[in-house]
Amino acid sequence: MIMTSTLSVSDDVRTDDAVASERALPVTFESVTKSFGERIVLNGVDFSVRAGEVLAIVGPSGCGKSTLLRAVAGLETPTSGTVRIDSSPVTGLSETSAFAFQEPRLLPWQTIRRNVALGLPKGTGKAAGAAHVDELLEHVELSAYADHRPREVSGGMAQRASLARALARRPGVLLLDEPFGALDALTRLKMQDLLLDIHAKHPATILLVTHDVDEALQLADRILVLSPTGGHEGAGVANVIDVPGTRPRDRSSAELGALRSTLLENLGVDSHRH
Amino acid sequence: MSAAEETQGRRSPQVNGGTAQATVGSYGSSAAGSGASPEAAPAPGGKPPRAGARLLNTTGGRVLLGLVVPVVVLAAWHFSTAAGVFTSVQLPTPASVWNAAAELIQRGELWNHIGISTQRVLLGFAIGGLLGLAVGSLVGLSRVADALFSPTIGAFRAVPSLAWVPLLILWMQIGEDSKVTLISIGAFFPVFTTVYLALRHVDQNLVEAARAFGLRGVRLLTTVQLPAVVPSIFSGLRLALAQAWLFLVAAELIASSMGLGFLLTDSQYNGRTDRLILAIVLLAVFGKISDALVGVVERWAIARWA
Ligand SMILES: Nc1ncnc2c1ncn2[C@@H]1O[C@H](COP(=O)(O)OP(=O)(O)OP(=O)(O)O)[C@@H](O)[C@H]1O
Ligand SMILES: [Mg+2]
């Protein structure tokens, strides 16, 4: 909402992208299990993410949310089971997805601008790429810091740069690992609006890991609760919640309030105390 | 880093390097890298005294402070020799060392000595440094190359430098080739070791992020790995340069008819302590100058890359 006036994602830039996927792609988890040595982290995750949907993933710390996203990106190979993007199994690093890591992971020796440009899809023309990067920097409110090095900006700024880098790719699947975790409340709201705006203009399937139940309720079409199930070791799909209503949603609605309590209960928090 | 320093430390005593360091001081500090230069010595740890602090904050002031110790040493040298504490064979006066220099310049010999020594050092440093960079990158980046070459390179590194001399002379005779080769060997290992170790310790999170955004091969190398190791490359190069001077003297002490190392042995046989000291002073000066030049390139490269 706040951002709509400044958003002018120009279409002429889009047409130059050679590799950018212009279509949101479905993601399917088929009995995905992942162990590190003896330790089972993910235990038989079965789930289908619809093309173009925003899926929030919540769950206790250390339950394997990042691991699940990494499996989609091809950064982690499941011990058994398959992850599919648009029906083709993920084997190596997937070209069709982009990752905003839990930590910013910016190259310390390059400017913010060049770090963001790293996300541009292969084959982007020079001028088109530069224009796209400038536009993104404006959206994440970093234009004034474009020529700074990562160590010269704050943690929240670095996180926004990392988000911009992932957005620059215009991927079919956008993987966001707690992208707003380091932001103050106001910037966080702005960035959430930015994400929804970009999502409206450029179709992408978004998998968003978050610790913030309200953020999940605001942004997501569905919320996946990842948590140990049925006495197994390792996490599975403990619950899936359809979030009703079109965005932006009324934070004070009774329906969302009830979902909020359910979610907190799922996460093992006594909702009456909050 | 540590392994390279170890190499450096282990080799120093073999080649009278200790004498040079004790007498002048600046050669040794240049070998250790940028931090340990003599001008750092007067800097107090906590609250600096008023005048000293002002001096420390300007380049001119630091140069001035850096000159204090050499001037004091020179004065002590002058007065002790003038007072006859030492015989002229033990320690000649500064003036006679100066005169020895003037005499050698007049006969046109000094520039020949300096020229040939500098040429050997630069050639050996360039060859050894480039090879160290190339092999260090290969072994640091490729696990196959690491498994294949590391044990052998480690074994070769363990061979004391002077052990190569008879073999090099046998193969290449007493010419320029054998000397430059020996110096290259000396320059190779510090660069190899620092580059190799630094590449092993590049932040894997950054490498992973770059790979996730489609970088691989040469672009991954130039975008992530090389910039990450630029500071290490330069500490390796500075150590290598110090090693190159060390090995130069080793090579020239053993078999040569020109160069600063030859000047050392020749003066020893002829009892010319003045020339001997002159050679040591020249080694210190040129060692320091070449190290400072690398330092300039280092600052530029770090501002550009890191
Ligand atoms: N490379 C690895 N080697 C061994 N164990 C790992 C590795 N990566 C993750 N783990 C383990 O897997 C588990 C899940 O990690 P993951 O990072 O996916 O958790 P998370 O749900 O993202 O947690 P958080 O909310 O704190 O970010 C943790 O117990 C972690 O120790
Ligand atoms: Mg995580």
Side-chain angles (χ1 to χ4, degrees):
Chain A
M1 277 299 277
I2 302 166
M3 295 297 295
T4 29
S5 56
T6 57
L7 263 180
S8 57
V9 186
S10 44
D11 282 34
D12 50 319
V13 178
R14 292 174 52 185
T15 48
D16 290 356
D17 296 354
V19 187
S21 119
E22 280 302 321
R23 137 185 122 74
L25 304 169
V27 179
T28 320
F29 299 95
E30 292 168 359
S31 330
V32 172
T33 297
K34 177 72 192 176
S35 328
F36 293 104
E38 292 288 286
R39 175 157 156 57
I40 304 170
V41 174
L42 297 175
N43 196 347
V45 175
D46 264 306
F47 192 74
S48 289
V49 192
R50 301 176 197 124
E53 104 170 291
V54 180
L55 178 80
I57 300 169
V58 299
S61 180
C63 73
K65 303 183 293 297
S66 296
T67 307
L68 193 69
L69 286 201
R70 291 171 57 81
V72 180
L75 294 170
E76 214 79 78
T77 315
T79 313
S80 68
T82 314
V83 180
R84 291 178 194 276
I85 296 180
D86 195 21
S87 80
S88 48
V90 175
T91 46
L93 291 169
S94 66
E95 292 267 333
T96 44
S97 63
F99 208 123
F101 294 91
Q102 199 164 349
E103 327 80 43
R105 299 200 190 180
L106 303 173
L107 302 178
W109 47 83
Q110 290 197 346
T111 59
I112 296 292
R113 186 196 306 281
R114 294 198 55 181
N115 265 292
V116 173
L118 213 65
L120 292 169
K122 222 186 263 168
T124 310
K126 239 189 168 158
H132 189 192
V133 168
D134 280 342
E135 188 184 49
L136 282 167
L137 284 170
E138 196 169 310
H139 292 336
V140 297
E141 303 183 352
L142 284 178
S143 297
Y145 294 89
D147 297 315
H148 285 55
R149 302 281 173 98
R151 66 165 170 273
E152 298 163 343
V153 304
S154 72
M157 289 169 162
Q159 203 175 28
R160 280 181 272 153
S162 162
L163 175 65
R165 180 175 62 183
L167 291 173
R169 205 149 190 86
R170 296 232 172 92
V173 180
L174 188 55
L175 306 165
L176 306 177
D177 200 346
E178 299 186 35
F180 311 124
L183 305 182
D184 64 277
L186 178 64
T187 317
R188 173 184 285 237
L189 290 181
K190 285 190 198 171
M191 291 303 122
Q192 289 173 353
D193 282 328
L194 164 69
L195 184 65
L196 291 180
D197 271 321
I198 289 187
H199 183 241
K201 295 204 165 88
H202 300 280
T205 309
I206 300 182
L207 275 66
L208 171 99
V209 169
T210 177
H211 271 137
D212 180 345
V213 167
D214 291 311
E215 179 169 283
L217 288 170
Q218 271 307 306
L219 297 181
D221 297 305
R222 286 192 295 169
I223 301 173
L224 186 157
V225 181
L226 197 68
S227 169
T229 49
H232 295 300
E233 190 191 347
V237 180
N239 195 2
V240 181
I241 293 169
D242 278 292
V243 186
T246 49
R247 293 174 290 249
R249 301 186 177 113
D250 179 5
R251 283 166 198 275
S252 56
S253 86
E255 212 173 3
L256 287 193
L259 284 180
R260 187 172 183 274
S261 304
T262 316
L263 268 171
L264 288 172
E265 229 160 82
N266 280 177
L267 295 172
V269 182
D270 181 356
S271 61
H272 301 295
R273 295 163 135 241
H274 292 266
Chain B
M1 221 4 227
S2 62
E5 272 169 3
E6 191 184 292
T7 314
Q8 165 72 15
R10 187 162 50 72
R11 294 219 162 107
S12 308
Q14 295 167 1
V15 208
N16 299 348
T19 325
Q21 286 166 9
T23 312
V24 186
S26 64
Y27 188 91
S29 72
S30 66
S34 51
S37 41
E39 56 263 32
K47 278 175 269 170
R50 307 101 297 206
R54 250 179 290 128
L55 269 179
L56 279 175
N57 289 335
T58 60
T59 316
R62 277 202 303 279
V63 170
L64 221 65
L65 283 175
L67 285 174
V68 168
V69 174
V71 167
V72 168
V73 169
L74 199 64
W77 177 13
H78 172 76
F79 288 116
S80 60
T81 47
V85 179
F86 305 102
T87 68
S88 72
V89 175
Q90 280 175 326
L91 185 65
T93 62
S96 61
V97 172
W98 181 259
N99 290 338
E103 186 204 334
L104 282 174
I105 291 173
Q106 227 164 32
R107 290 178 15 198
E109 284 177 25
L110 194 63
W111 300 125
N112 288 344
H113 289 311
I114 293 173
I116 193 73
S117 284
T118 311
Q119 181 190 318
R120 288 166 182 159
V121 163
L122 290 185
L123 265 178
F125 172 64
I127 296 170
L130 282 177
L131 280 177
L133 204 59
V135 179
S137 304
L138 178 73
V139 178
L141 287 171
S142 153
R143 298 192 48 187
V144 177
D146 189 15
L148 208 57
F149 296 120
S150 283
T152 314
I153 295 176
F156 273 102
R157 196 174 56 202
V159 177
S161 56
L162 294 190
W164 294 110
V165 172
L167 198 61
L168 290 177
I169 290 176
L170 187 72
W171 284 348
M172 305 182 200
Q173 283 77 47
I174 303 178
E176 286 307 294
D177 289 355
S178 59
K179 294 186 187 63
V180 171
T181 306
L182 185 68
I183 296 169
S184 306
I185 292 174
F188 172 84
F189 285 107
V191 179
F192 167 80
T193 311
T194 44
V195 171
Y196 164 72
L197 287 178
L199 280 172
R200 303 248 91 183
H201 292 110
V202 172
D203 184 351
Q204 285 311 302
N205 279 345
L206 287 184
V207 177
E208 184 185 73
R211 287 183 55 228
F213 284 102
L215 296 191
R216 53 180 61 86
V218 177
R219 271 201 73 205
L220 186 66
L221 183 72
T222 55
T223 315
V224 183
Q225 280 133 338
L226 279 185
V229 300
V230 161
S232 307
I233 289 178
F234 276 94
S235 43
L237 285 177
R238 294 179 93 160
L239 283 168
L241 191 61
Q243 287 272 81
W245 284 102
L246 209 68
F247 278 47
L248 168 85
V249 175
E252 291 181 343
L253 277 179
I254 289 157
S256 65
S257 53
M258 253 205 289
L260 294 173
F262 166 74
L263 191 59
L264 281 172
T265 32
D266 192 48
S267 312
Q268 187 197 356
Y269 291 135
N270 296 323
R272 291 293 301 263
T273 319
D274 50 349
R275 286 188 185 172
L276 212 154
I277 291 176
L278 174 68
I280 289 171
V281 171
L282 287 173
L283 282 171
V285 168
F286 283 95
K288 182 71 187 165
I289 289 175
S290 55
D291 183 65
L293 289 178
V294 176
V296 169
V297 182
E298 177 180 19
R299 269 194 295 281
W300 170 82
I302 286 182
R304 168 105 177 53
W305 290 97

